[in-house]
Structures are given as C-alpha cells and as structure tokens.
Amino acid sequence: MEFRREIEVNSDKGRIWELINDYKRIPEFWHGTRSIEKDGDTYLVQFAFPGKGKMKLEKDDANFRLTEKYFKGPFTGEKITDLEGDNPVKIVSIWNIRLSPMLRAFSNKLQGHFEQGTEDALKRIKDYFES
C-alpha cells in the first residue's frame, strides 16, 4: 500500500518539527494510534483497531524528515513525514507499507481508511498551529 498526502501549514517550521518529533503526541493527532511507549531503541505501538506493533524512529533534523519503520504488527514498512518549504510549510506524509496476510483481503477498504486517517491527522496538525 503506497500513497502520499500533504497539507500546507502557516507556522514556524521549527515548531512543527518539534511537534512531529514528539512521539508522545502522535496519538493526539494520529487517531489510528492509541498509544506509544519507548522500549530501548524501539517503540511499542497500540493501534486504535485491535493490534500492536513495533517500530523504530529515524530523525533527520537537517532535512526535516521523520521515518517510522514498522517491523512487527498488522503491517510492516514505513511512514515518512517530510517538512518542505517555509511560510507556508508543507507537511508531506508518505506511506509504503505491507499488510499482514490476515489483513490483505481487506486491502482496498483499509487503504481508504489509512488515506482518510492521514488526511484527518494532517488537518488536526494544521488546525493546532493555525487556530
């Protein structure tokens, strides 16, 4: 499953970067994620739907890129969040994941669900900075 969504936000790039890098705040904006706990150099993720996963976070401060690498759970692969430009800042979310065998039968429905969830999360981030 691959897709890309983006939104422009009128705010300081550094402030947006600070928020995006705070793993504790991910569930506040990404409602498909119920909770995240740090476990050494990995993160344990409880999803809103029944399922748990494990991921690593890779931060590239110089290029304003955060990569979530999922390696255990209902899907594997990565979600990349990029910040592009200044005033406005474009937040870009790029998904490249593979569903577990049990979920592949529902891939069309789930793709729509992931895409809508991403659009909603980006809008919540925009609203947070612009309201």
Side-chain angles (χ1 to χ4, degrees), residues 9-22 25 29 64 83 86 89 91 125-131:
V9 178
N10 293 303
S11 186
D12 177 71
K13 194 176 204 174
R15 288 185 61 222
I16 298 170
W17 183 240
E18 185 178 306
L19 174 76
I20 287 172
N21 277 293
D22 186 353
R25 297 197 66 190
F29 298 96
F64 296 96
L83 300 185
D86 290 298
V89 176
I91 304 174
I125 293 169
K126 177 183 178 73
D127 291 346
Y128 174 82
F129 284 105
E130 293 185 0
S131 61

Side-chain angles (χ1 to χ4, degrees), residues 39 42-47 49 51-56 68-78 97-101 103:
D39 183 35
T42 62
Y43 296 83
L44 305 174
V45 182
Q46 173 66 56
F47 297 105
F49 59 89
K52 295 181 180 184
K54 208 168 191 181
M55 72 163 173
K56 286 190 173 196
E68 299 172 29
K69 293 195 172 209
Y70 292 89
F71 59 91
K72 193 178 228 181
F75 59 87
T76 56
E78 61 186 27
I97 60 171
R98 183 176 171 98
L99 297 172
S100 70
L103 294 177

Side-chain angles (χ1 to χ4, degrees), residues 52-127:
K52 295 181 180 184
K54 208 168 191 181
M55 72 163 173
K56 286 190 173 196
L57 287 175
E58 295 180 357
K59 299 176 187 181
D60 180 351
D61 293 319
N63 294 302
F64 296 96
R65 172 174 273 202
L66 179 69
T67 304
E68 299 172 29
K69 293 195 172 209
Y70 292 89
F71 59 91
K72 193 178 228 181
F75 59 87
T76 56
E78 61 186 27
K79 177 182 91 170
I80 297 169
T81 304
D82 282 327
L83 300 185
E84 300 175 351
D86 290 298
N87 201 21
V89 176
K90 186 185 298 182
I91 304 174
V92 180
S93 181
I94 304 163
W95 288 76
N96 185 1
I97 60 171
R98 183 176 171 98
L99 297 172
S100 70
M102 289 177 44
L103 294 177
R104 285 190 197 133
F106 307 102
S107 63
N108 287 340
K109 183 177 181 177
L110 287 173
Q111 179 148 353
H113 182 75
F114 274 76
E115 289 177 9
Q116 185 63 55
T118 299
E119 290 172 12
D120 293 344
L122 294 175
K123 182 161 184 350
R124 281 188 282 274
I125 293 169
K126 177 183 178 73
D127 291 346

